[in-house]
Amino acid sequence: MENAPLPYDIFDLILKSYARMYRFCKNATLPLRLVCRDFEQILSPIVFKTIPLEFSKFLRHGPIPNLFDLDRVAHYIEAAYVDMMVIRDEQEIVRLSDVFQGITQKVPEMGPYFDSLRQYCMSENTFDETDFRRVVEGVLRRAKELVRFKINLPFQVVGHASQTATLLLATTLACIAKRDPLEYKTLETLVLDHVSDTSIMSICNNHIDVGNAVTVLSGLKNLVISIKRQESRVETQTAFTKHLWFLLGKAASLESLCLIGWNVKRNITTRKNINRHTLTMDDWTMRSMPYQVDSPTRVQHLKYLELKRLDIFAISLVSLIQSNASSLKELYLNEVYLKLNTEMQLTHVPLWIGQHGLDERPWAERSKSAIWIAENLREMEGLNLEVLVATGLGYDDYRPGQSNPDQAAYDLVDPMGLGRSFDQRFVQASMRNELQHEALSACIGESSEVQPKTKIDDFQMSKDLSVQMRSQVDHQLSKDGTLIRPDGHLHPIKYDVVTFQEVHNTTSQFHKCIDGHFYNHNDRALKELQSIIEMADRGMRLIDAEIDRSHAAQVNPDDGTITEP
């Protein structure tokens, strides 16, 4: 008996499952298209859904990409991913060379290495704004179905203002704004990585650039932006706040906003970041997500908001949520730290949850001006959150004096003695459990067609995984519908951002995966950046060693000579 041919539906599922196995390596899937016509028909809509562009595609004297080849697959293209993270600024290289000039004898390869970084600078020997514009415009002109765009701007290792990053951002916005809405689909999703406050202010100070920015933002439904703060002067901080929220306020159709800060992973066990003798007040204030409290900006149709890896003042956070309370439905707080100064604020220290009189120390007494975030959210007029989840909440405390870091316990200890996580207690104190349960049930009960709100079918887990997740959760449901773990604590999916977003993500999903199939990944850029950082770290260790050696040296009082240890 001859073997029956494999049903096309099964064949289709096998190939797509194979593609999902290599989400970190798109190139592993590309050769399969050449096996046969069926392979090409199934895989082409997946592998050509995003067009990747990186440094080498713009080189003036390198292999020039034939944009006419895109015409054959242009109808598949829905997203573009431009990775310029490896691009260096000339001033950055000069600064690196100047800083480590004194130790090049000990590390002879350091000088030539920094000089070699000029191959990644925009110049007549590599590429300029015209070359960048030609390629980006060529792609956008052919991809009429393109609705999502991500750009990784240069990640500056040292220094401050990068004119290169500003130039690339302004040119990108100009290329997108140039598209005719009658001929092309409107851009719905934009991801901007490594945007500095300097770039935002420069764009807003140029009427052509700010016009392009407003044109692009006005049609967006989803925006993800990671911000790098550089300007510590008070006047520039004020200008940046004004310009940032002016632009966001122009996003009239925006439904989903994810703001990502600059913080590295912090210690989740302490949840306290104590700044002592290392920062000025201006520098400490700069390292926060700003908001115009006096004249708050409302994003008219904002439904989904995520704040990630950033510090923020309590009054700014409350004002931001309150300004958008009438439309906001989902709030994600991922590694957000409240800015506070326990030495100066004394009895009006802002807290996530509050002490409720359980702490008898003088500093913990509450004044009328003290802000307790959970209480504000719970009682905020017009706010009807369906989803509130939090991970890694904490405090960024500025203490230039000699106070004991352990004096302020904040509200981190569970007053009930149940050992509940701080994130769980915050979520429970902020909103009613029945509302959270309804949202959770709706999310977990979704089919394999993910998130109809975003109209992207590829971000949802497979049907089998959804069923598995649902079964894992259902067997832990108590009679009143509360997710209970064996130890009596809430299941993490009830309050934890990371766990919850594995099933339902309406905000930051595009940051890692712009098209829903393959992760945004560039090995070459990451390796080069790692090499730069390692070389800089090596140089700093040598400089520190020289400083320590000079401090330990002694001067001979007889002849004035220096004796090394």
Side-chain angles (χ1 to χ4, degrees), residues 83-362:
D83 190 352
M84 307 300 288
M85 193 164 56
V86 75
I87 299 299
R88 300 294 93 200
D89 191 272
E90 179 65 28
Q91 294 301 316
E92 180 182 15
I93 299 176
V94 172
R95 185 180 178 87
L96 282 169
S97 301
D98 291 344
V99 169
F100 300 116
Q101 183 177 10
I103 59 173
T104 52
Q105 293 181 350
K106 294 187 176 181
V107 190
E109 68 271 21
M110 186 171 286
Y113 175 75
F114 288 146
D115 290 338
S116 71
L117 293 179
R118 287 187 168 85
Q119 65 178 309
Y120 299 122
C121 292
M122 294 179 68
S123 68
E124 59 181 11
N125 297 321
T126 54
F127 73 100
D128 59 14
E129 177 189 356
T130 304
D131 301 308
F132 179 78
R133 183 188 296 269
R134 172 180 55 81
V135 176
V136 174
E137 281 188 349
V139 171
L140 294 177
R141 184 168 59 251
R142 289 166 172 79
K144 297 185 177 183
E145 302 297 314
L146 187 143
V147 293
R148 296 187 293 280
F149 192 100
K150 174 176 181 177
I151 180 169
N152 272 3
L153 294 170
F155 183 86
Q156 200 168 355
V157 178
V158 298
H160 291 286
S162 172
Q163 297 301 321
T164 301
T166 302
L167 177 63
L168 292 173
L169 177 58
T171 305
T172 299
L173 294 174
C175 292
I176 299 175
K178 191 176 179 180
R179 301 178 84 203
D180 186 353
L182 298 179
E183 186 178 359
Y184 300 91
K185 282 191 174 182
T186 302
L187 190 73
E188 296 181 353
T189 300
L190 179 63
V191 180
L192 301 175
D193 236 348
H194 312 133
V195 181
S196 69
D197 49 8
T198 306
S199 294
I200 294 290
M201 289 187 291
S202 297
I203 285 176
C204 287
N205 287 327
N206 183 301
H207 71 281
I208 297 178
D209 291 340
V210 75
N212 291 330
V214 170
T215 300
V216 173
L217 291 171
S218 61
L220 291 181
K221 292 185 178 179
N222 311 287
L223 175 62
V224 180
I225 177 170
S226 67
I227 298 175
K228 179 182 179 182
R229 300 298 306 273
Q230 297 175 322
E231 298 288 348
S232 60
R233 291 174 298 169
V234 175
E235 57 271 22
T236 53
Q237 291 188 43
T238 303
F240 169 64
T241 303
K242 176 183 177 181
H243 294 323
L244 173 65
W245 288 101
F246 164 78
L247 293 177
L248 293 178
K250 295 299 181 181
S253 302
L254 195 67
E255 296 181 355
S256 172
L257 174 62
C258 178
L259 296 174
I260 303 175
W262 45 90
N263 290 337
V264 296
K265 195 75 174 178
R266 284 173 169 169
N267 190 344
I268 192 65
T269 59
T270 62
R271 299 179 183 268
K272 292 183 289 186
N273 186 48
I274 309 297
N275 296 280
R276 300 182 64 192
H277 314 297
T278 57
L279 293 175
T280 64
M281 175 63 80
D282 287 346
D283 286 334
W284 178 74
T285 303
M286 175 195 68
R287 299 181 182 185
S288 64
M289 181 60 66
Y291 188 71
Q292 291 179 294
V293 177
D294 297 333
S295 55
T297 299
R298 177 171 179 257
V299 184
Q300 297 180 11
H301 302 290
L302 186 63
K303 296 180 180 178
Y304 320 112
L305 174 63
E306 178 173 355
L307 304 179
K308 185 174 183 179
R309 291 204 312 271
L310 56 82
D311 303 337
I312 190 169
F313 286 95
I315 191 172
S316 298
L317 177 60
V318 171
S319 182
L320 170 60
I321 298 172
Q322 191 169 30
S323 300
N324 298 280
S326 60
S327 61
L328 197 61
K329 296 301 179 184
E330 299 181 8
L331 177 61
Y332 303 84
L333 301 174
N334 193 347
E335 298 183 39
V336 178
Y337 274 48
L338 283 187
K339 307 281 285 186
L340 53 86
N341 186 337
T342 53
E343 289 187 348
M344 295 180 61
Q345 292 172 302
L346 298 177
T347 61
H348 56 276
V349 174
L351 297 171
W352 282 108
I353 303 172
Q355 292 282 4
H356 297 287
L358 294 177
D359 196 322
E360 297 179 355
R361 281 170 289 189

Side-chain angles (χ1 to χ4, degrees), residues 367-380:
S367 69
K368 293 182 179 180
S369 61
I371 297 176
W372 290 357
I373 305 297
E375 181 180 84
N376 274 266
L377 295 183
R378 188 173 61 250
E379 299 178 356
M380 187 174 293

Side-chain angles (χ1 to χ4, degrees), residues 423-434:
D423 304 323
Q424 174 184 332
R425 290 195 295 117
F426 170 75
V427 171
Q428 287 180 311
S430 300
M431 62 187 301
R432 296 191 299 274
N433 289 337
E434 59 269 19

